Amino acid sequence: MLSIHSIAAADAKASALYYESLARRDDYYSSQIEPDGYWIGSGAEKLGLRGNLREGELARLLEGFHPTAEKALSRTAGDDHKPGWDCTFSVPKSVSVLWAVADNELRADIERAHGTAVAYATGYLEREAVSTRHGLGGTLRQPVMLSGGIVAAAFQHGTSRAIDPNLHTHVIIANVTPRGRSVDLDTKHKMSAGALYRCELAHGLRDMGFAIERDGDSFRVAGVPQSLVEHWSQRRAEILAELARTGNTSARASEVAALATRQPKEEVSREVLFNRWCVEAKEHGFNAERVSSLCAERTATITADRQLATPSHLMETVTEKNSTVSRLQILHATALDAQGIADGIRVESRVAEIIGDRAVVTLSPKVRSASQEWIKSGERYTTTDMLEKERVMLDRAQAMSSMQQHRVERSIVDAALQASPTLSDQQRSAVRHLVSDSGGLCVLQGYAGAGKTFVLGVARAAWEAADYQVLGTAVSNRASRQLQTETGMPTWNTTKLQTQLDLKRIVFDRHTILVVDEAGMQSTKQLASLLERAASRGAKVVLVGDTRQLQAIDAGAPMRAIAERIGVCELTDVRRQQSLQDRHVAKLFRDGRAEEALQILGEQGRIHVTRDMRTAARSAAEQALGDRDAGKSTLCIAATHSQVRDINTATRVVLKDRGDVAREGVVVKTTGGYREFCEGDRIIFGKKAYFGAHTDESRTVWNGAVGTVISVAQQADYKAKLNIRLDHSNEVIAVHSGEFQQLDHGYASTVHKAQGSTVDTCHVLCGELTGREWSYVAGSRHRQEVNFYTSKDFVADLARDMSQARQNDMAVDYDRQLGVEHGKEQRSHDMDLERG
């Protein structure tokens, strides 16, 4: 695995001291804690830096000075110089087990394989990810190789914080070249570099004779006892459990937790550790002889057990989440597939073969207008199947929009409108469009808070008065349940609806109206299937949503593409926010003008900047609890799961201090990590599950369902029984954590889960991974007030990041460079049949 962290200027000396202090120049396998660091990178060679580092050299480099000469390399050399990046390459756990138990000769071979993989991946980063800035304002970028390459130092370490075997290497890339230029490291290459590292490592281990098996996105060595892997993960589990109990996640907290769970302090030199690890391994039937035999069993037959995926299969996999992909995405997918089969050089050459395959279509951007943010620069790639699927879907949408048989008589529509006198003129026009003036497919696009669901409720009444069956669907359970509650139409999440249609428990016909809510979150695959089913049975489909809100997780932006083809009915008059200025702010976020929106909110005192994100999370939590105490409905949301956890942790600290949540509880292992649950805690479920009969909705939970813990009971091995009262039914269910682990604290949520919600106040934690769509959803959930919380580390770039569009693209958005159009006549024939 590969992790990349920027080193802060204030931490430069401490970081250098840490790495140097672990390395001793005594006998390698006796009193030395970790081996010496060594120089790596083309730039280091150009400066004459070879072999091992000496004391003080890394500290000088991280401050911008020449490591061995009395001169500055960087113009910014000194205490305020930005040091660089820590790129940490870690072997899979099974490899750490081999390394810990092997004899000295085989252990050295494993270290060489690891070092070779580190060197290859570092070279990839140097070639592809690191650049220098040139020109006025630094707007031009050049590969770092043109400025002499990277200057880096590598430090091999062998233990985790829990003193378990964990072979890894820190590669410290300095923020300076031999020619004195600062550098940029583009972290979008992190996943590919990590995958190439694992390819090289797996290849080296396979050449040594080990059998390699895929393990998710990584690999494992066959024959390593899983019990030993788990045993050497147990100390880490104890630390994580202690962190869960105390509510801390920082590195310093990890050290404290390690001390709190450790037996009396022991010597940790490598000699002592290797001896201890061998004793522990024998208890699991594993020793140096067994490690050697794993090599001997395979030495004669080192050929790969698997073959590289075909170009069409690999592209089918990589386009599940994106309609078009970059060369970098293809490289990452190829490297993941090649672990244990090919080395890094073969992987990189394989990418060219895939791009040239007949099943792959090379695309180039059209001339992009200012409103087409979804069109990405550079060459893009897709498959002939994806391109055909999109074209068929759009042709079908065009044909359906021309169907006239679902138009309801005006008198019936008038009666439904008269029964809802609070509708605005714009909403009344929208109802007429949906029910009387549109064809077999129409699109209702509405700003957040413009009353789309209210319009659908009135339209449902009109359709049902005309003897139509009205059904609803949405991607998420939360959105589908909300649609059903607020409109009265039977609604299912899209996956379940497809299953019900397959089982013929739901049947479409010419008297069916299907409402697809939050349609902007539907993928091409999902929506294409729904349209095909509806068209074949003569049903009408109504797409409802906002293409400026959050996008589909899987590939495509079909609602946007269909709207461009057939047109839309729009609701632009926002009613949710009570303040006209708040409505204006929400629109500014929608238009990508976050700087103006944040300026207005700042003038109102609703932008809160703290020293760090944990403090910001606590501030958001305290304000939200104050609103709840005042009887207001409120919501805390964030961009990442780690930020959500920070809000949850901060909220629980306050609630424990107030006595609303019990001081002590149980620590359990969940899919998100270790969590402490106490009596009084709010819980959110991450997966649908039945705690009664499948027909008993009152004892069924879904992804996003919430409840309150009313009692807990600890069991063995971080398992527990939780009695939880469900919000939607007031029923109490017993959840055994060993059987159901999709649980978390329910005081905050990601913005994805919050889309479609309406509350009095909203408190938003914003740092990394924001964007225009994210900001628009976050800034439009409230009726009365929204507050944003961030840290001084993010505030400077906040407006830029919150204005950046992150919309999905479609293959049809681009001009084609390769590929032959096919299937036009067949598509035309299919459309004629559907019209008939």
Side-chain angles (χ1 to χ4, degrees):
M1 304 300 289
L2 169 61
S3 63
I4 299 178
H5 301 288
S6 178
I7 302 172
D11 296 334
K13 286 187 174 69
S15 296
L17 180 62
Y18 169 72
Y19 295 120
E20 291 175 349
S21 67
L22 291 178
R24 307 272 177 82
R25 289 173 178 78
D26 299 321
D27 180 64
Y28 182 84
Y29 285 112
S30 59
S31 62
Q32 188 174 25
I33 297 176
E34 300 287 12
D36 292 327
Y38 58 93
W39 294 108
I40 187 172
S42 302
E45 284 199 19
K46 286 182 174 61
L47 289 176
L49 303 172
R50 297 180 181 86
N52 293 342
L53 278 82
R54 297 181 178 179
E55 186 176 355
E57 291 178 347
L58 179 61
R60 289 182 56 78
L61 178 65
L62 293 183
E63 290 189 325
F65 294 98
H66 194 292
T68 61
E70 295 297 323
K71 66 177 182 179
L73 282 177
S74 171
R75 287 175 295 178
T76 62
D79 290 343
D80 294 330
H81 174 75
K82 179 181 176 182
W85 296 266
D86 179 348
C87 304
T88 306
F89 297 90
S90 302
V91 305
K93 192 69 179 180
S94 62
V95 181
S96 285
V97 171
L98 290 178
W99 172 79
V101 180
D103 59 42
N104 285 352
E105 182 179 355
L106 191 51
R107 180 181 295 128
D109 288 341
I110 293 171
E111 289 179 3
R112 275 191 290 273
H114 167 62
T116 299
V118 168
Y120 187 90
T122 302
Y124 168 82
L125 289 173
E126 184 175 43
R127 285 185 284 114
E128 303 291 341
V130 185
S131 61
T132 56
R133 292 179 181 266
H134 300 263
L136 185 62
T139 55
L140 300 177
R141 293 180 183 237
Q142 291 182 354
V144 72
M145 299 300 289
L146 297 179
S147 294
I150 64 169
V151 183
F155 295 84
Q156 183 204 104
H157 291 170
T159 64
S160 67
R161 290 184 184 277
I163 319 299
D164 288 329
N166 179 27
L167 180 61
H168 62 283
T169 293
H170 297 269
V171 175
I172 313 300
I173 299 178
N175 180 33
V176 65
T177 70
R179 298 178 187 174
R181 288 196 170 275
S182 296
V183 302
D184 291 329
L185 174 59
D186 190 345
T187 55
K188 74 181 180 185
H189 291 271
K190 182 184 85 167
M191 301 298 288
S192 294
L196 285 169
Y197 158 75
R198 295 194 299 278
C199 275
E200 278 288 311
L201 177 60
H203 182 75
L205 293 169
R206 187 169 65 86
D207 281 352
M208 291 166 61
F210 292 109
I212 304 299
E213 300 174 343
R214 278 293 298 274
D215 184 17
D217 282 349
S218 186
F219 71 88
R220 60 174 168 258
V221 177
V224 175
Q226 185 61 27
S227 62
L228 186 53
V229 171
E230 293 175 356
H231 170 74
W232 278 332
S233 301
Q234 186 60 29
R235 280 283 295 129
R236 180 61 176 161
E238 292 173 359
I239 291 173
L240 291 173
E242 180 66 15
L243 290 173
R245 198 178 299 280
T246 60
N248 292 308
T249 57
S250 67
R252 176 58 184 156
S254 295
E255 294 170 8
V256 173
L259 290 172
T261 58
R262 184 183 297 165
Q263 298 300 315
K265 187 175 181 180
E266 55 188 336
E267 186 64 40
V268 290
S269 72
R270 280 200 164 183
E271 181 184 36
V272 171
L273 288 174
F274 286 139
N275 289 335
R276 190 187 85 180
W277 291 336
C278 286
V279 171
E280 293 178 6
K282 285 180 182 178
E283 297 175 359
H284 295 263
F286 204 59
N287 54 28
E289 291 74 21
R290 180 57 185 150
V291 173
S292 297
S293 70
L294 290 179
C295 292
E297 291 169 4
R298 293 272 300 175
T299 301
T301 56
I302 298 178
T303 57
D305 298 322
R306 298 181 295 111
Q307 300 296 317
L308 289 172
T310 63
S312 59
H313 179 74
L314 187 134
M315 286 295 293
E316 181 182 348
T317 300
V318 78
T319 53
E320 285 181 1
K321 299 294 184 185
N322 302 276
S323 294
T324 75
V325 294
S326 65
R327 184 186 181 280
L328 182 60
Q329 289 169 297
I330 297 174
L331 171 63
H332 178 230
T334 304
L336 290 183
D337 173 65
Q339 293 174 99
I341 306 175
D343 62 7
I345 293 176
R346 177 71 181 102
V347 167
E348 294 198 68
S349 65
R350 177 68 169 167
V351 172
E353 297 172 12
I354 292 169
I355 289 173
D357 189 82
R358 62 179 298 177
V360 178
V361 181
T362 303
L363 307 166
S364 61
K366 298 177 180 178
V367 178
R368 183 175 68 176
S369 69
S371 62
Q372 293 177 306
E373 304 99 332
W374 54 85
I375 297 180
K376 297 172 174 61
S377 60
E379 283 191 345
R380 307 289 295 176
Y381 305 93
T382 191
T383 65
T384 53
D385 287 345
M386 176 63 76
L387 198 58
E388 184 69 4
K389 182 180 294 183
E390 291 182 0
R391 287 176 169 170
V392 168
M393 180 190 69
L394 292 175
D395 287 349
R396 179 170 284 119
Q398 184 77 60
M400 291 176 67
S401 68
S402 301
M403 296 164 54
Q404 305 294 315
Q405 65 263 35
H406 301 95
R407 297 192 172 189
V408 175
E409 293 180 9
R410 303 285 285 192
S411 60
I412 295 177
V413 180
D414 289 342
L417 292 173
Q418 289 173 6
S420 300
T422 60
L423 285 168
S424 67
D425 289 343
Q426 190 179 68
Q427 290 173 325
R428 294 168 70 86
S429 296
V431 172
R432 291 192 183 279
H433 175 79
L434 298 181
V435 180
S436 295
D437 300 335
S438 58
L441 175 65
C442 62
V443 180
L444 174 64
Q445 175 153 287
Y447 288 13
K452 296 185 292 292
T453 307
F454 188 30
V455 166
L456 290 176
V458 179
R460 177 199 61 79
W463 279 316
E464 290 183 348
D467 294 328
Y468 282 99
Q469 170 190 227
V470 185
L471 308 175
T473 188
V475 171
S476 70
N477 282 303
R478 184 171 184 172
S480 60
R481 290 181 70 88
Q482 186 168 335
L483 179 64
Q484 179 168 317
T485 299
E486 295 184 8
T487 67
M489 65 181 71
T491 305
W492 298 263
N493 72 58
T494 304
T495 300
K496 183 172 182 179
L497 176 63
Q498 299 273 22
T499 301
Q500 297 292 88
L501 289 167
D502 289 338
L503 297 173
K504 300 191 184 306
R505 293 174 181 170
I506 297 174
V507 178
F508 289 164
D509 59 28
R510 291 177 179 268
H511 289 85
T512 299
I513 309 293
L514 176 65
V515 174
V516 183
D517 197 19
E518 300 291 356
M521 299 183 78
Q522 294 277 344
S523 68
T524 297
K525 181 179 180 180
Q526 289 172 315
L527 195 52
S529 176
L530 286 177
L531 293 187
E532 181 180 6
R533 290 174 182 273
S536 66
R537 305 295 296 176
K540 174 170 179 164
V541 176
V542 179
L543 305 182
V544 183
D546 186 353
T547 56
R548 293 296 185 92
Q549 294 190 46
L550 294 171
Q551 305 286 290
I553 294 175
D554 289 336
M559 178 184 172
R560 187 258 303 161
I562 290 171
E564 289 177 348
R565 179 73 71 95
I566 71 171
V568 298
C569 173
E570 280 200 300
L571 289 174
T572 59
D573 294 339
V574 175
R575 293 185 148 196
R576 178 180 293 156
Q577 285 80 42
Q578 296 174 359
S579 161
L580 289 175
Q581 193 166 48
D582 277 8
R583 297 177 190 178
H584 177 59
V585 166
K587 187 177 186 303
L588 289 173
F589 280 131
R590 187 181 193 273
D591 294 340
R593 296 157 63 186
E595 184 173 6
E596 297 174 57
L598 293 174
Q599 182 176 351
I600 294 171
L601 292 173
E603 292 169 353
Q604 297 175 345
R606 292 197 262 164
I607 304 293
H608 309 273
V609 182
T610 60
R611 67 178 182 272
D612 55 47
M613 291 300 288
R614 289 174 66 82
T615 306
R618 183 177 179 93
S619 182
E622 290 173 343
Q623 293 296 320
L625 287 172
D627 286 345
R628 287 175 190 160
D629 292 343
K632 298 178 181 179
S633 61
T634 190
L635 188 63
C636 274
I637 54 181
T640 67
H641 289 289
S642 63
Q643 291 172 0
V644 168
R645 184 180 178 187
D646 284 344
I647 298 175
N648 282 332
T649 299
T651 304
R652 296 183 73 246
V653 169
V654 176
L655 292 176
K656 283 187 173 187
D657 289 343
R658 290 172 19 171
D660 295 342
V661 169
R663 283 281 183 183
E664 299 292 332
V666 295
V667 174
V668 302
K669 185 178 181 180
T670 73
T671 51
Y674 288 84
R675 299 288 188 270
E676 183 196 43
F677 296 118
C678 304
E679 183 178 331
D681 258 326
R682 295 287 289 165
I683 297 286
I684 187 167
F685 293 85
K687 183 180 179 180
K688 185 169 185 178
Y690 302 94
F691 294 91
H694 281 212
T695 55
D696 187 356
E697 288 288 327
S698 68
R699 299 180 64 79
T700 298
V701 301
W702 62 93
N703 184 359
V706 292
T708 302
V709 176
I710 60 173
S711 65
V712 298
Q714 184 74 64
Q715 298 170 342
D717 300 327
Y718 304 112
K719 297 176 183 177
K721 175 184 176 182
L722 309 175
N723 289 315
I724 301 172
R725 189 180 302 280
L726 301 175
D727 280 13
H728 67 271
S729 65
N730 210 36
E731 289 289 314
V732 176
I733 61 171
V735 178
H736 295 270
S737 65
E739 301 170 4
F740 185 83
Q741 295 185 328
Q742 290 81 11
L743 293 169
D744 210 336
H745 298 119
Y747 303 103
S749 74
T750 61
V751 172
H752 267 89
K753 286 188 178 294
Q755 182 159 312
S757 300
T758 301
V759 290
D760 293 331
T761 64
C762 188
H763 300 274
V764 184
L765 184 62
C766 47
E768 57 186 344
L769 298 181
T770 58
R772 189 191 70 187
E773 295 78 18
W774 183 95
S775 305
Y776 176 39
V777 174
S780 60
R781 299 303 94 202
H782 65 288
R783 299 186 191 93
Q784 299 174 10
E785 185 172 280
V786 63
N787 285 269
F788 287 83
Y789 305 81
T790 191
S791 75
K792 59 181 179 62
D793 295 328
F794 290 105
V795 69
D797 297 327
L798 200 59
R800 182 200 65 193
D801 294 343
M802 292 175 71
S803 299
Q804 182 73 39
R806 302 184 187 276
Q807 289 197 313
N808 292 353
D809 63 355
M810 301 275 285
V812 293
D813 292 330
Y814 299 84
D815 287 322
R816 218 165 28 157
Q817 293 182 10
L818 287 175
V820 179
E821 193 171 340
H822 64 282
K824 269 190 171 181
E825 292 183 3
Q826 183 61 47
R827 290 202 310 277
S828 177
H829 176 66
D830 291 345
M831 295 303 105
D832 288 341
L833 289 177
E834 289 174 4
R835 293 188 191 99

